[in-house]
Amino acid sequence: MRLVIVHAMALCLALFMAAQPASAQPPSGAPVRFGILPLGGAFESRNDWEPLLADMSRVLGRPVAVLSVSSYEALERAIERDEVDMAFLSGKMALDTVSQRRMTVVAQVTRHDGLPGYRATLLTRKVGPPTTLKEILDDPGRWRLARGESRSVSGFIVPQLQLFLPNQIAMETRFRSEVVGTHQATALAVANGEADVATNNTADFERFTQQFPAEAQRLQVVWQSDLIPHAQIVVRRAYPQEFQRKVQAFLVAYGRGKGQVGDSERVTLKSLHDLAGFVAADNASLLPAARLAYQLARQNALTGQWVNEAARQARLQRIESGYAEQVGVLRDAAP
């Protein structure tokens, strides 16, 4: 039986307004509703972001309400209902919101390591089995998997695309059992013996080692992916360009000042997965994410079972046309 790890959903600050049509401009002075990608626990994510959002509120001159949820799916539903005005999203979710023309990218995060991204990882216990990648790939049906949701770039998409499918392994069906949850939850599952192998990523595992040092000591990385671009900040397209530029300017300047204010902002950024800050970005920053999603869809079509070859080719053609349309949307950076 498949077990889904979920944390209690936190709807924070009680400032949320009723959903508005995507085409309607939000009322002036109304709370800006900020959705947070669930990288750790919902309450933990809320607490990490609140100082930065309080500073943003002062700059924007209007309240900023926090929506911290327990799953990618919950955040996606909130975005679809237009209950989110701004959000911190990783590649696939940001890609979906921009492709559907609900939101536009204004900034991308940066980290102190200076790399333009992070890497998906595969974790096992140091004392196994399994303790090697070969053991996992040779007999996946023997092991219990802890992975991210299907929308998670490092928790599902990249490991599936770069590791498992090339070895004729579908993550959802080939393992003995699976646990689905946040990166923190999947790492804990392996550390506590509830799973044998987990998908994760370098940025979140670094944070995990600080928060759960004893559990982290039991784990090791047996595989790493290619670099994955960092997450984005997106804003609902209904907001005027002047507002979007104001948000972008605030984010780009955050943590770069001198004196006590700058020091305080840098402390806040460090608590946000050790971020160095933000750089200005537009929808084109999602082109690498679109390429990953396209490659995964194509790989699934090529390796999947079909009633006939014509059906497979029809699916491949839809993937190609959908990708071309998506690229066109992303290259049109104007909101």
Side-chain angles (χ1 to χ4, degrees), residues 222-300:
V222 296
W223 172 81
Q224 290 191 35
S225 73
D226 298 336
L227 276 177
I228 303 168
H230 286 308
Q232 280 89 0
I233 303 293
V234 297
V235 175
R236 194 149 64 95
R237 290 169 61 94
Y239 278 91
Q241 291 189 41
E242 180 183 356
F243 176 86
Q244 295 179 27
R245 286 193 293 268
K246 195 171 185 179
V247 170
Q248 185 180 70
F250 163 79
L251 292 170
V252 170
Y254 199 80
R256 301 185 188 275
K258 298 180 180 180
Q260 185 176 354
V261 172
D263 291 341
S264 175
E265 291 175 351
R266 285 184 282 276
V267 170
T268 296
L269 288 170
K270 187 171 180 59
S271 72
L272 291 172
H273 302 268
D274 196 27
L275 298 185
F278 304 88
V279 294
D282 58 31
N283 296 342
S285 67
L286 289 168
L287 286 169
R291 182 70 179 174
L292 282 175
Y294 159 75
Q295 290 173 332
L296 180 59
R298 192 171 189 280
Q299 184 82 317
N300 282 329

Side-chain angles (χ1 to χ4, degrees), residues 15 19 33 107 177-178 198-199 213 252 277 304 326 332:
L15 291 172
R33 303 160 298 178
S177 64
E178 69 174 8
T199 60
V252 170
Q326 195 170 59
D332 176 16

